[in-house]
Amino acid sequence: MLIHAGAALPRLLAPASWLSGRLSFSRKFLLVGAVMLLALALLSWPLLRKSTLEAQQAELERRGLATLAQQGQLLAGLINLRGQPAANAPGLAELNQLATEMQRLQHWAKQAGPGPNALPELATRLQQHWLQQLALSPRDEAQRRFAAHTGSINALLALMRESARVHRLSVDPTLDAAFDMLAHRLPLLQETLAKQRDALNLASDDMASYAVAAQVVLSEAMPPLRAGMSQLLAGEQDARLQAQLHTLLGGVEAQQDAVDKVLDRPAAIEELRPLAQTNLTQVRALAAASIAQADARLEARLAALQRSQWQVGALLVGAMAAIAYLFAGIYVSTLRSLRQLSQGTQDFCAGRLDTRIRVDTQDELVLVAGNFNSVAAEVGRLLDVIREQNESRQRELERLVQLRTLELADKNEQLHLAALRVQEELASARDMQQAILPQHFPDTAEFSMRACMHPARELGGDFYDCFALADGRWGFLVADVAGKGVGAAFFMAVSRTVLQDLAQSGLAPAEVLARTNEALSARNPMELFVTACYGIYSPASGELVYACAGHPAPLLRQPGGRLQALACACEMALGVLPGMSYSDQQAQLQPGDTLLLYTDGITEAFNSQGHAYGEARLQAWLAGSQGEAAADKLGSLVADVAAFVGEAEASDDLTALLLCRKSPHPGFLMAKESST
């Protein structure tokens, strides 16, 4: 067995021997030296690449920290703006500064972040909330102003969390808890304290209870805050930062004591306001100091990585120099021995059989000189043994490959069947979702109505409804749940059930939306929200009463192609905050008028070049639409959007509802006059 193992070595080295036999002695040494240097470089490359990637990660995290600091300043500005009373409206300079920050943040969100992310969408949502906030006036209710400002702040908090994810702050093995504290906990703590302070300033019993309940968020934020600070201060002795943390923890405990007093004595609620303001100041100071500490940690890590790169580089250069020196010495010594072997062989072939080769070295060339005559006989036998072993090994490898191929094919078949089952379940859920939406629509001599919903994924979050009311009128609505997929589909089913139940009672649209908002706010664990437009239409008179909750304004096309965007109050979406009120709007549909309700899945449908369908394209289509059949017009709209999008993937659910008041036919008018 040992003989077979030893005989395999020449066979294994045959390719190298073949190459060596075709190179001169000097080129052999150059080749071996080059291979060794290459191997050394390849072994050093992972270390250099690792340190380079870690340096890039640290740089990305530092940019994330700088972004968080800028976003924190904007958050402070929004919180201060909410805290100002309606009578003390902010100055033009302050509003312009905040608007400039909003535009800069939206421009950054379109360009920042490696790979796909939700930053542009979140920045757009923040801009929308900001515009709603600017649309408010000092005459608006305090709670409505509070809710609008809170919506902008919540959108900014979501943007800060997504920015931290894009900058990979959550994957740092040594500072993940600290970065979570900076990107999530401290901003949330700041917003909670400010919200508590501002709620107390509203001087409302409901908002006072809301302010006391907010103390739960402060208590829950303390353990993650301690964990993040503990990680940030690991190995550091920053007494100032520790003192700020202890001061904040003491302030929160004092605030909790004040809340406990309020539960027994409501008049003690006045003690909360100064505590909340003081703790808010402490949180801002702690956030700024923590960001500076984290940036210093990252800067130190970058310096250490740069030193490591220099050390690896110096080690690589030194190793290369040592290898070159050793190879030069070995080359000179081996060349001298080979010349002695060559001279002895020539003498032996010339007939001097008593010639003996003597090599003045201790390497394997001594064996060459001693065993030259026995090598030729042994080579043939060794080659046969090696060939037999290689053939046996090849057959075994082929058998193992075939066995593993069969196992892999079986696993792939199982995965394929599992994927088919998932697709079947999703298709059944989609069919069920489409089935609960109305499939039959009114088409009378006076008017026609038609609606559709095409989900972007297997399940959608948009929905519509139309139903006859007891007094001959017709109710209809179009709504859009925030998000897509299974969660939005479930929330869509709940929202549609609540809206339909309330609408069937014959309440006014504004009252239906207000009660629906209360119901959804009470059972909304995923913190989703719904934009909706609900209207009641009288076919006999053409009178329309409608109300909107954060939804795009309905479009009205009059005969001749003139368009009009119906009045739409700047109302809050459903499920965001309880206690919201909504306002009814009225319109009159004349014979030949067409009313269009739609979701943003139409205007925000993107083609393969990234261009949106847009409001202008939608209005142009509506202005050029012909006929009084709602079904034909709706089919034309869907076809127009599909032609624009082309092969691009749908970005959002597409939902629309058309109501057409028909022009009375001459026969109908004569029959009506004769009956009169």
Side-chain angles (χ1 to χ4, degrees), residues 142-213:
Q143 291 187 4
R144 179 175 295 180
R145 294 174 58 84
F146 181 88
H149 286 74
T150 302
S152 298
I153 294 173
N154 289 339
L156 178 57
L157 291 176
L159 182 65
M160 293 176 70
R161 291 193 294 270
E162 178 66 10
S163 174
R165 185 194 68 79
V166 169
H167 289 92
R168 300 181 61 81
L169 299 184
S170 59
V171 299
D172 191 294
T174 59
L175 294 174
D176 52 350
F179 287 145
D180 177 71
M181 173 193 68
L182 294 174
H184 183 201
R185 303 297 176 181
L186 283 178
L188 180 61
L189 189 61
Q190 181 179 351
E191 159 60 2
T192 303
L193 289 169
K195 189 187 298 182
Q196 194 176 44
R197 178 201 65 187
D198 299 339
L200 292 173
N201 291 334
L202 293 178
S204 170
D205 293 339
D206 293 338
M207 297 307 289
S209 301
Y210 180 79
V212 173

Side-chain angles (χ1 to χ4, degrees), residues 41-289:
L42 292 177
L43 291 175
S44 303
W45 171 249
L47 297 176
L48 292 174
R49 179 170 176 79
K50 180 181 178 182
S51 61
T52 301
L53 292 178
E54 290 178 354
Q56 293 175 354
Q57 173 72 18
E59 288 289 354
L60 180 63
E61 291 173 354
R62 289 194 71 186
R63 292 196 297 271
L65 284 177
T67 302
L68 281 179
Q70 297 174 356
Q71 293 170 346
Q73 295 177 359
L74 180 58
L75 176 63
L78 291 176
I79 289 176
N80 293 335
L81 185 60
R82 181 182 61 188
Q84 297 182 11
N88 299 332
L92 182 60
E94 182 178 356
L95 288 177
N96 288 338
Q97 182 179 0
L98 288 176
T100 302
E101 288 295 323
M102 292 287 184
Q103 294 175 356
R104 184 193 60 77
L105 193 61
Q106 190 170 22
H107 177 71
W108 167 83
K110 293 180 179 179
Q111 299 178 348
N117 57 76
L119 288 176
E121 180 181 351
L122 292 174
T124 301
R125 185 183 304 173
L126 174 60
Q127 187 72 14
Q128 292 173 352
H129 282 288
W130 171 251
L131 295 177
Q132 292 180 359
Q133 181 177 329
L134 293 179
L136 296 175
S137 66
R139 295 187 299 274
D140 289 322
E141 297 178 0
Q143 291 187 4
R144 179 175 295 180
R145 294 174 58 84
F146 181 88
H149 286 74
T150 302
S152 298
I153 294 173
N154 289 339
L156 178 57
L157 291 176
L159 182 65
M160 293 176 70
R161 291 193 294 270
E162 178 66 10
S163 174
R165 185 194 68 79
V166 169
H167 289 92
R168 300 181 61 81
L169 299 184
S170 59
V171 299
D172 191 294
T174 59
L175 294 174
D176 52 350
F179 287 145
D180 177 71
M181 173 193 68
L182 294 174
H184 183 201
R185 303 297 176 181
L186 283 178
L188 180 61
L189 189 61
Q190 181 179 351
E191 159 60 2
T192 303
L193 289 169
K195 189 187 298 182
Q196 194 176 44
R197 178 201 65 187
D198 299 339
L200 292 173
N201 291 334
L202 293 178
S204 170
D205 293 339
D206 293 338
M207 297 307 289
S209 301
Y210 180 79
V212 173
Q215 190 67 27
V216 177
V217 178
L218 300 181
S219 301
E220 293 177 350
M222 290 301 103
L225 177 62
R226 291 190 181 95
M229 292 301 298
S230 176
Q231 191 180 63
L232 187 62
L233 293 174
E236 301 288 340
Q237 299 296 329
D238 193 337
R240 182 176 63 86
L241 192 58
Q242 292 178 346
Q244 289 179 335
L245 175 62
H246 292 158
T247 301
L248 176 60
L249 294 177
V252 173
E253 292 178 358
Q255 192 167 334
Q256 181 62 48
D257 294 338
V259 170
D260 294 337
K261 292 180 183 179
V262 172
L263 296 177
D264 297 329
R265 184 167 52 88
I269 198 171
E270 290 297 323
E271 299 180 13
L272 273 179
R273 187 178 292 107
L275 289 174
Q277 179 61 41
T278 301
N279 290 336
L280 177 60
T281 303
Q282 291 294 333
V283 167
R284 291 175 178 174
L286 181 62

Side-chain angles (χ1 to χ4, degrees), residues 58 77 173 222 224 268 337 373 377 416 490 512 528 655 671:
M222 290 301 103
S337 298
N373 295 327
H416 178 66
F490 277 110
V512 169
L528 298 175
T655 304

Side-chain angles (χ1 to χ4, degrees), residues 376-512:
E378 293 294 329
V379 168
R381 186 180 63 84
L382 291 177
L383 289 176
D384 293 338
V385 173
I386 292 173
R387 184 180 298 107
E388 180 181 353
Q389 290 179 349
N390 285 340
E391 291 176 354
S392 175
R393 186 175 301 167
Q394 182 68 23
R395 289 192 297 269
E396 180 65 17
L397 288 176
E398 291 177 354
R399 187 186 67 82
L400 292 176
V401 168
Q402 184 178 8
L403 179 61
R404 295 296 183 268
T405 302
L406 293 176
E407 293 177 355
L408 181 60
D410 183 61
K411 296 295 183 183
N412 287 337
E413 181 65 22
Q414 295 178 9
L415 289 175
H416 178 66
L417 293 176
L420 289 179
R421 286 195 296 271
V422 171
Q423 291 296 328
E424 289 175 358
E425 294 293 336
L426 288 176
S428 298
R430 178 171 182 171
D431 294 340
M432 184 177 297
Q433 185 184 47
Q434 291 288 342
I436 66 174
L437 296 177
Q439 303 300 320
H440 300 285
F441 302 91
D443 189 359
T444 67
E446 297 174 332
F447 77 105
S448 65
M449 186 184 302
R450 182 60 61 96
C452 69
M453 191 277 284
H454 299 281
R457 298 180 181 174
E458 285 80 3
L459 298 176
D462 289 3
F463 63 95
Y464 63 85
D465 206 348
C466 68
F467 42 82
L469 300 177
D471 54 359
R473 297 183 299 170
W474 281 82
F476 59 93
L477 65 92
V478 169
D480 183 2
V481 178
K484 296 179 283 296
V486 177
F490 277 110
F491 198 67
M492 163 264 190
V494 173
S495 304
R496 179 180 179 272
T497 301
V498 173
L499 277 167
Q500 189 180 56
D501 289 345
L502 292 172
Q504 289 288 355
S505 62
L507 297 173
E511 183 65 21
V512 169

Side-chain angles (χ1 to χ4, degrees), residues 300-318:
R301 183 189 299 176
L302 278 172
L305 290 172
Q306 291 174 353
R307 288 195 301 272
S308 175
Q309 290 175 343
W310 279 107
Q311 291 171 357
V312 172
L315 180 62
L316 181 61
V317 172

Side-chain angles (χ1 to χ4, degrees), residues 604-618:
E604 296 180 4
F606 294 92
N607 59 15
S608 56
Q609 289 77 32
H611 299 151
Y613 188 78
E615 295 283 349
R617 197 180 302 272
L618 176 62

